[in-house]
Amino acid sequence: PQLAAPQLATSNPTLTTVALEKPFCMFDSSLSPNKSYSVYLYAMMESAVAGSSPVTDHGGKALNSTFQQTSGGRLSPYKAAVFSVPNCASPPDPADVGDVNKVADVLKQHLFRVGDDGTCLYDPNFLDVCNPPLAPDTTYRFKYTLVDNTDGIMKDQTLWSDPIKTRRVKLPMKIDTWPGRRSGGMIVITSILSVFLFLLLSGFFASVFSSVKGLEDSSVETRHVPQTAQHGEPRPQEGSE
C-alpha cells in the first residue's frame, strides 16, 4: 500500500486518516476464473512488529480481528476494510479529477481512506467492518490481502507498507499568526476590507457632524429674529372734554 498521490488527496495524512491507493493490477496473477474475491485491508501500529504479525490463522483463513480486539492496532493487525478487487483493465483516469461531475467517483474507485468512520465504534447496530479514526502523531503500517469469498482463505498478499505517520495536533499558542505567513491574496483582501471599513466609518461620522452642525445653525438664527413691538392705543389726556 502506498500513500495517495498529492493531486488526488491533499493534506495526506491528516490527524486521524490516511488515504491509500487501491491495489490495481496487484493480484491479477492470483485470480481464478469463476471465483469471487475480495480485498482485505489490515492496519496496525508500528509498535506491533510487522515481521511477526500474521493476518491469517493456522488454516490460512484471513483474520477478522477488529479495532477493539487489537486495541486500535497496538497489539496486532486489525481488519480496517473489505472491498471488491479493483478492475485492472479499466483503472480510473486521474485526468477526470478536474471534472467536478466525475471527481467523487474517481476518488472512490482509486483511493481508500483509513480512519474515515467516526461513528461505527459507538453504533450498536453497526455490522460492517469498522474503520474508526486513527490516533494522531502515530506511525502505522498497512497490508492488502486477496481473499476467496467462498472459504475465506487468503490467496495472496502485499508486503507491509512503509511506516506512515499521522499528523501531530498543533497547540493554539504555537500557531503562527504573523502576516508574513499569509498568502499575498489574503493580505490584499484584508487591506481592501480595512480601507472600506475606514471609509464607511468616516462617512458615518461626517454625516453625524453635519446633522449636529445644522441643528446648531438653526438655533442661532431663531434667537436673532427681531420681535415685533406691540403699540397700544393712546391713553386719553386728563381734563380733556
Side-chain angles (χ1 to χ4, degrees):
Q2 296 181 351
L3 281 173
Q7 61 267 30
L8 297 178
T10 58
S11 300
N12 182 41
T14 66
L15 290 174
T16 57
T17 66
V18 172
L20 301 174
E21 294 183 359
K22 287 186 175 180
F24 279 90
C25 307
M26 287 187 180
F27 299 127
D28 281 14
S29 60
S30 301
L31 299 176
S32 299
N34 304 321
K35 285 279 190 176
S36 175
Y37 298 94
S38 292
V39 173
Y40 288 11
L41 171 62
Y42 289 93
M44 69 174 180
M45 291 186 180
E46 172 69 5
S47 55
V49 182
S52 59
S53 302
V55 293
T56 60
D57 60 17
H58 296 295
K61 284 192 174 184
L63 296 179
N64 291 313
S65 303
T66 65
F67 183 91
Q68 298 94 322
Q69 292 170 343
T70 63
S71 188
R74 288 181 177 85
L75 306 177
S76 60
Y78 68 92
K79 186 167 66 173
V82 177
F83 51 85
S84 301
V85 180
N87 188 354
C88 181
S90 58
D93 186 357
D96 289 338
V97 175
D99 188 337
V100 294
N101 298 317
K102 298 180 180 180
V103 60
D105 290 336
V106 170
L107 294 179
K108 185 176 180 180
Q109 295 175 30
H110 196 82
L111 307 179
F112 182 83
R113 189 176 293 277
V114 188
D116 202 31
D117 193 337
T119 61
C120 60
L121 286 178
Y122 311 103
D123 185 357
N125 299 317
F126 188 85
L127 302 177
D128 204 352
V129 178
C130 189
N131 178 33
L134 303 175
D137 194 25
T138 304
T139 303
Y140 289 86
R141 288 179 181 266
F142 305 95
K143 176 192 284 282
Y144 286 126
T145 63
L146 179 69
V147 179
D148 189 324
N149 289 332
T150 303
D151 53 20
I153 299 295
M154 185 186 72
K155 298 298 183 181
D156 202 353
Q157 62 181 320
T158 66
L159 299 174
W160 285 102
S161 70
D162 292 332
I164 299 174
K165 190 173 185 179
T166 53
R167 295 193 177 188
R168 178 184 302 179
V169 177
K170 197 167 188 178
L171 298 177
M173 65 283 296
K174 292 186 177 181
I175 297 177
D176 188 1
T177 58
W178 179 249
R181 297 295 300 274
R182 301 295 184 262
S183 67
M186 292 177 63
I187 295 176
V188 171
I189 292 174
T190 303
S191 302
I192 292 175
L193 292 178
S194 300
V195 172
F196 282 163
L197 179 60
F198 172 77
L199 294 176
L200 180 62
L201 291 176
S202 299
F204 172 75
F205 286 121
S207 176
V208 172
F209 177 78
S210 177
S211 298
V212 173
K213 184 66 175 176
L215 291 174
E216 291 178 350
D217 293 344
S218 176
S219 177
V220 170
E221 290 176 1
T222 302
R223 288 199 303 269
H224 284 79
V225 171
Q227 296 182 356
T228 304
Q230 295 182 356
H231 299 283
E233 293 182 358
R235 298 175 63 182
Q237 298 181 356
E238 295 182 359
S240 60
E241 294 181 355

